[in-house]
Amino acid sequence: MTITKENIIKAIQKGTLTANKKYEKWSHGWWLDDAGVESVMVVGIAEALNEVQQNHESLRLEEAFQEIKYDSKASLKPGPLPKVIADRKRADIVLFDQKKHPKPTCVIEVKRSWDTTNCIKDMERIRELVDRFGPSNKGSLKRGFLALMITVEEKNKRIEECIEARISDIKDIIENDFKNHGKKIRYHRSKVRRGKEEYGYNNWGAASFCIEIHG
């Protein structure tokens, strides 16, 4: 048995919101999208993923693309890799399938919030990693996720409606700006968590949102 896609999604959602809740406590009310680093969210997601992995499975942080290429055992045609994965970039989280000669099965990029330029670039990297090192080239990498947090202020609408409106805007941007090159895209959202009243943020809501790309 290996970790299921459903468990990966649930772990991303749990890890994102748990990390945000911790940071809220540490900072007395601030959320991760207020901070300038993503490391707390990366570690939160990694901890939640490791909790649902089997004993023979593992994960790594900041894994170099070249290592993913080598460990996937993909049969690549001669020639240079696409520019988006040919540099010295690293993936935030990579899941591996076994103890002996582990092969990557899933890659996860993490963003605190949606930023069109950087998020589309991350999606392009995920697309190319799955394309080059996945089943189409007899590689082990099955899918990838871009994980982020959506935060909104209630104003005149319910928070749930505001979250859905923001996600709808993001989907429109992806539809216009992202070339999927035959890869399938799915969207996954968690339940909404409200800010704590004791910090004066109960009119704010947060949800985990992840974009899945697979072959």
Side-chain angles (χ1 to χ4, degrees):
M1 290 287 292
T2 57
I3 187 172
T4 64
K5 183 185 80 169
E6 289 72 22
N7 280 341
I8 293 173
I9 294 165
K10 288 178 182 177
I12 290 173
Q13 294 173 345
K14 176 184 176 182
T16 297
L17 294 180
T18 298
N20 192 49
K21 187 176 180 180
K22 283 183 179 179
Y23 191 76
E24 182 184 50
K25 181 180 179 181
W26 297 343
S27 63
H28 286 192
W30 291 69
W31 282 2
L32 286 175
D33 63 331
D34 299 315
V37 295
E38 280 145 4
S39 56
V40 176
M41 190 167 157
V42 170
V43 172
I45 292 172
E47 287 178 338
L49 285 164
N50 189 244
E51 287 175 1
V52 293
Q53 282 184 310
Q54 303 296 313
N55 289 334
H56 60 277
E57 296 177 306
S58 62
L59 61 80
R60 300 177 198 166
L61 306 183
E62 292 293 318
E63 184 75 351
F65 290 171
Q66 288 297 321
E67 292 297 324
I68 298 173
K69 172 186 174 182
Y70 175 79
D71 290 336
S72 72
K73 306 303 180 187
S75 300
L76 298 175
K77 295 178 181 178
L81 291 171
K83 187 177 180 180
V84 290
I85 60 171
D87 55 19
R88 296 176 179 269
K89 290 288 291 183
R90 295 171 177 269
D92 290 328
I93 305 171
V94 181
L95 306 185
F96 291 84
D97 63 354
Q98 57 194 20
K99 288 183 179 178
K100 189 174 182 180
H101 307 304
K103 296 189 291 295
T105 58
C106 177
V107 61
I108 301 165
E109 291 291 324
V110 178
K111 285 283 182 284
R112 291 176 296 113
S113 58
W114 177 264
D115 171 83
T116 296
T117 300
N118 291 322
C119 286
I120 291 294
K121 195 171 290 183
D122 274 350
M123 289 180 66
E124 290 171 349
R125 291 191 182 103
I126 294 168
R127 178 197 67 206
E128 293 303 323
L129 289 169
V130 172
D131 184 51
R132 300 292 167 143
F133 312 141
S136 60
N137 285 310
K138 299 181 180 179
S140 61
L141 194 65
K142 297 176 182 178
R143 59 179 45 85
F145 293 89
L146 174 62
L148 57 135
M149 193 169 67
I150 306 292
T151 61
V152 298
E153 190 175 9
E154 185 175 8
K155 295 184 179 178
N156 297 323
K157 294 183 179 179
R158 292 177 56 245
I159 283 179
E160 194 92 13
E161 292 172 354
C162 291
I163 293 278
E164 280 302 313
R166 180 64 179 134
I167 288 174
S168 179
D169 290 342
I170 291 171
K171 289 179 180 179
D172 287 342
I173 293 170
I174 291 171
E175 182 73 24
N176 292 325
D177 295 356
F178 178 68
K179 296 178 175 61
N180 64 347
H181 292 181
K183 296 293 175 286
K184 296 177 181 178
I185 300 175
R186 290 194 177 99
Y187 302 100
H188 310 279
R189 176 177 77 80
S190 73
K191 294 181 179 178
V192 176
R193 177 185 174 268
R194 296 183 78 110
K196 284 197 171 184
E197 188 170 0
E198 65 182 282
Y199 301 128
Y201 290 105
N202 62 315
N203 61 325
W204 281 82
S208 165
F209 180 59
C210 61
I211 301 158
E212 177 190 1
I213 300 173
H214 65 102

